[in-house]
Amino acid sequence: MTRALIVGSGIAGPAAALALAKAGIEAEIVERHPRPADEAGVFFTLGSNGLDALAVLDLQEAVLAHGFATPAIELRSGTGRPLGLSRIGTTGPDGTTSQTMRRTDLYAVFRDRAVTEGIPITYGRELVSAVDTDNGVTATFGDGSTAEGDILVGCDGVHSRTRMLIDPTSPPPVSAGLINYGGYTSGVDVETEPGTFRMIFGERAFFGYAMAPDRTVWWFVNEPTTVTSAASLPVRSEAELATHLSGLFRNDSGPAAELITAGSDLARPTLTYLLPHLPRWQRGRMIVIGDAAHAPSPSSGQGASLAIEDALVLAQCVRDLGPTRTAFDRFEAIRRPRVERIVKAAARINSNKSATGFTRLIRDAVLPIILRLSGTRETDMTYGHHIDWNQQIRA
Ligand SMILES: Cc1cc2nc3c(=O)[nH]c(=O)nc-3n(C[C@H](O)[C@H](O)[C@H](O)COP(=O)(O)OP(=O)(O)OC[C@H]3O[C@@H](n4cnc5c(N)ncnc54)[C@H](O)[C@@H]3O)c2cc1C
């Protein structure tokens, strides 16, 4: 039986393990964190295409139990001027559409299913090196332990070690020039419908919020920065952070400052990294998928969905073509055009978010037109994507 060694237990990793297991391939996951992730505050939106892919793994229902529908974004300028409505999901025949959920809830769904399926996950094992052997690949971890597989699938995120082992000259991820923050607020009334994100291009930063069915408001901030490394981000207490963030929106219309001041469970600030184009996704028995291969900006709302799609397609390729170079080549040929198109589109949104001064005025004038022109086709291609699991992949 073919054996796959999966590095990383974020989103791509468990999705790949479950998809490979469905294809009859034995999978084992190794994760560098000493225990499952439990970051406070962090939430994200899983696109309708990601949910569609999860249906193949019979996980859609379990995931829907943790999310609330958010198929649209209403954009506003910092002065409160409506800029347009952007769809961020298609709606399936049963009404299923993009969902916002806590990241830890999605991880837990994956983890529980992996345990049920008997897929081993071991924590505290950081991939350090890996070499191809005559009949497989051997990986070595920071604790000195080793593991073997017929293939090694690097699902180790935007700062991937696997990527460097495949090609030490790989371009590094680049900072998108935005710091992300997030939190939750109860007891503040906001004028938005459940199911619609409202996002504001403020004078100093970008703010987004949505109201959950229990009327808690989930919000995030993107602050432009010239800092290029996460290690250089300013360290602030929760109170200092609230003061800093609410100050960013003091001149803007909308509830940002109030929501931040009354907020709780603030997420640790993170720097956004992008990996727009990676020349090599594979070498020998090793391949990267998910953010390790292509990290779109969070603005795309697609990173997790693309990671799940990758997992399914890789499993199909290995199922039909074996643990071979041909399978990896087919995977790359199928996935590259789609993910690189989405990465490019997300980079455009990012530059809108960090616009200042005169550029901001132009952006506010032009964005509504762009939204009207580009909306439907782009949205359908991105969010309406469907993977036919039973389709046979040919060399
Ligand atoms: C602020 C923010 C907001 C976002 N919002 C959205 C959104 O709304 N919608 C969306 O779809 N996407 C969003 N994304 C992107 C999304 O989170 C990623 O695209 C997604 O997590 C990629 O999954 P992954 O499994 O490839 O990588 P990750 O989720 O990063 O998982 C990688 C895993 O590999 C482990 N690892 C790393 N190195 C090693 C090693 N050497 N050995 C062993 N294990 C290792 C890590 O600890 C981690 O568990 C957002 C990202 C950020 C930062």
Side-chain angles (χ1 to χ4, degrees), residues 43-307:
F43 64 86
F44 74 136
T45 301
L46 188 63
S48 40
N49 52 316
L51 279 158
D52 186 78
L54 283 179
V56 172
L57 302 176
D58 196 23
L59 281 175
Q60 201 187 66
E61 206 180 313
V63 168
L64 285 173
H66 293 286
F68 59 97
T70 39
I73 297 176
E74 193 200 330
L75 288 159
R76 297 235 163 162
S77 71
T79 58
R81 188 162 77 87
L83 297 174
L85 192 73
S86 174
R87 257 193 319 132
I88 52 161
T90 53
T91 304
D94 63 351
T96 304
T97 188
S98 302
Q99 300 279 313
T100 296
M101 67 194 69
R102 291 187 192 238
R103 188 178 283 262
T104 46
D105 286 337
L106 181 64
Y107 287 169
V109 168
F110 274 132
R111 228 171 27 240
D112 292 350
R113 181 57 63 86
V115 170
T116 312
E117 301 268 326
I119 297 169
I121 310 179
T122 48
Y123 294 92
R125 292 178 91 191
E126 176 165 15
L127 178 76
V128 178
S129 66
V131 284
D132 279 7
T133 59
D134 288 345
N135 44 14
V137 53
T138 302
T140 304
F141 303 98
D143 60 3
S145 64
T146 59
E148 285 170 9
D150 294 298
I151 54 172
L152 184 153
V153 187
C155 305
D156 43 354
V158 70
H159 302 288
S160 168
R161 176 77 188 143
T162 313
R163 186 171 65 230
M164 294 309 290
L165 296 172
I166 288 173
D167 178 6
T169 66
S170 296
V174 291
S175 163
L178 294 170
I179 310 175
N180 307 290
Y181 309 85
Y184 302 87
T185 304
S186 304
V188 172
D189 274 335
V190 288
E191 52 148 61
T192 178
E193 292 300 311
T196 300
F197 257 106
R198 182 170 288 183
M199 300 199 184
I200 299 160
F201 291 97
E203 184 182 282
R204 297 184 175 83
F206 185 79
F207 188 76
Y209 65 95
M211 190 166 63
D214 69 356
R215 303 196 71 79
T216 306
V217 181
W218 298 25
W219 53 263
F220 70 88
V221 173
N222 292 151
E223 180 189 11
T225 182
T226 51
V227 167
T228 53
S229 127
S232 314
L233 289 178
V235 179
R236 296 186 174 100
S237 68
E238 194 152 314
E240 288 167 341
L241 194 55
T243 307
H244 168 72
L245 293 181
S246 55
L248 292 175
F249 298 101
R250 64 177 175 270
N251 295 339
D252 294 328
S253 129
E258 190 185 358
L259 287 170
I260 292 165
T261 307
S264 64
D265 214 5
L266 261 55
R268 178 176 56 88
T270 52
L271 199 59
T272 308
Y273 286 96
L274 315 174
L275 187 68
H277 175 75
L278 179 67
R280 287 193 79 153
W281 286 12
Q282 46 153 321
R283 178 174 62 79
R285 301 269 183 164
M286 294 183 256
I287 189 161
V288 280
I289 68 169
D291 272 13
H294 47 72
S297 122
S299 316
S300 72
Q302 275 294 314
S305 297
L306 291 179

